Amino acid sequence: MKRISSAVLASLFFCAGAAQAQGWNNNRGERAQNRQEARQDKRELKDDRRDVRELEDVLARFDAAQARRDERAMRDVEDRLRRLVNAELAEGHQELQKDRAEIRRDNREVRRDGTWDDRKDRRDDMRDYQNERASQSARATIARELSGLVGQRGPRELHRTRTLITQLIDLGRREVHETKQEIREDQRERREDRRR
């Protein structure tokens, strides 16, 4: 009887140890993923801030070219603006792909574990995706309208071009804010993971 009890106890300890090791491995993988996301968020914040500065510079150059009625400077501004908007559209497309991949990963985790944290992560990632999709749509609309205004120098067209540039700056500032919010959420998740 004593041997059976010892065997049962040994198997229980083994199972408990294996379960604990499995949990440790899952947490370690999640911590590594969180660190990667933190690095990515910091790069995005740096890029978002740079984008806003570049758009603010384009606006200042636009205003100076318009005040001087400098056609060459205005063409340079339009070229720079076109390149910036195209880069933003490409970056937004990549961001949408990344957000979709995160949602797929979240869906797998919810199906596998179904914890409250997994569902919350999925909701956060869905919100990020929706925000990025709205920003991408707004940038695409602005890009189409700007392309129709290239080379037009009437007061109404110049005013509209300036308005569209300021809308791009506002979009960029909103993205900076959203990226800061994402960084705070990721920091909170890392603190929660350390407590587990």
Side-chain angles (χ1 to χ4, degrees), residues 19-196:
Q20 185 176 10
Q22 180 66 30
W24 173 255
N25 286 338
N26 286 344
N27 283 345
R28 187 169 58 189
E30 192 169 321
R31 284 192 298 267
Q33 180 180 338
N34 287 343
R35 284 191 302 270
Q36 178 185 353
E37 287 175 0
R39 286 189 300 270
Q40 184 175 333
D41 288 342
K42 286 179 183 177
R43 278 192 308 271
E44 284 179 25
L45 181 59
K46 183 179 175 182
D47 290 346
D48 291 345
R49 286 178 171 159
R50 184 195 67 234
D51 294 343
V52 169
R53 282 191 309 270
E54 288 178 348
L55 286 167
E56 288 170 340
D57 179 61
V58 164
L59 181 61
R61 290 174 50 204
F62 175 86
D63 288 343
Q66 183 180 0
R68 293 188 319 263
R69 297 179 191 259
D70 184 341
E71 181 59 29
R72 179 183 165 128
M74 189 62 79
R75 282 193 311 268
D76 289 345
V77 167
E78 289 172 336
D79 288 343
R80 179 68 183 138
L81 183 58
R82 181 182 39 76
R83 286 192 307 272
L84 284 173
V85 170
N86 287 339
E88 280 293 302
L89 288 170
E91 186 179 306
H93 180 71
Q94 290 174 345
E95 187 67 27
L96 284 173
Q97 289 178 325
K98 180 188 75 89
D99 289 346
R100 282 189 206 109
E102 286 181 15
I103 291 167
R104 283 192 300 273
R105 186 195 71 230
D106 291 340
N107 287 335
R108 283 191 302 271
E109 289 175 2
V110 166
R111 281 192 302 274
R112 186 184 66 224
D113 302 331
T115 67
W116 182 84
D117 286 337
D118 292 334
R119 290 189 301 275
K120 184 179 180 314
D121 288 346
R122 182 175 58 182
R123 281 192 305 273
D124 290 345
D125 288 339
M126 287 293 292
R127 183 200 64 227
D128 294 343
Y129 173 75
Q130 295 297 332
N131 288 343
E132 184 61 38
R133 196 168 79 172
S135 292
Q136 185 72 348
S137 176
R139 279 190 295 267
T141 300
I142 291 170
R144 280 190 300 275
E145 191 170 350
L146 279 171
S147 70
L149 293 168
V150 170
Q152 297 190 26
R153 303 294 181 250
R156 181 179 295 152
E157 291 82 7
L158 290 170
H159 176 73
R160 185 61 187 154
T161 299
R162 187 179 198 288
T163 299
L164 293 171
I165 296 170
T166 60
Q167 287 176 4
L168 286 169
I169 292 170
D170 290 342
L171 275 172
R173 288 178 180 158
R174 192 171 336 140
E175 286 183 355
V176 167
H177 175 75
E178 289 169 359
T179 303
K180 286 180 180 179
Q181 181 179 345
E182 183 71 24
I183 289 171
R184 285 191 297 270
E185 289 172 5
D186 289 346
Q187 288 170 341
R188 178 186 45 77
E189 286 177 19
R190 283 194 304 278
R191 282 192 302 270
E192 290 171 0
D193 289 344
R194 273 180 265 175
R195 286 187 218 130
R196 290 184 212 171

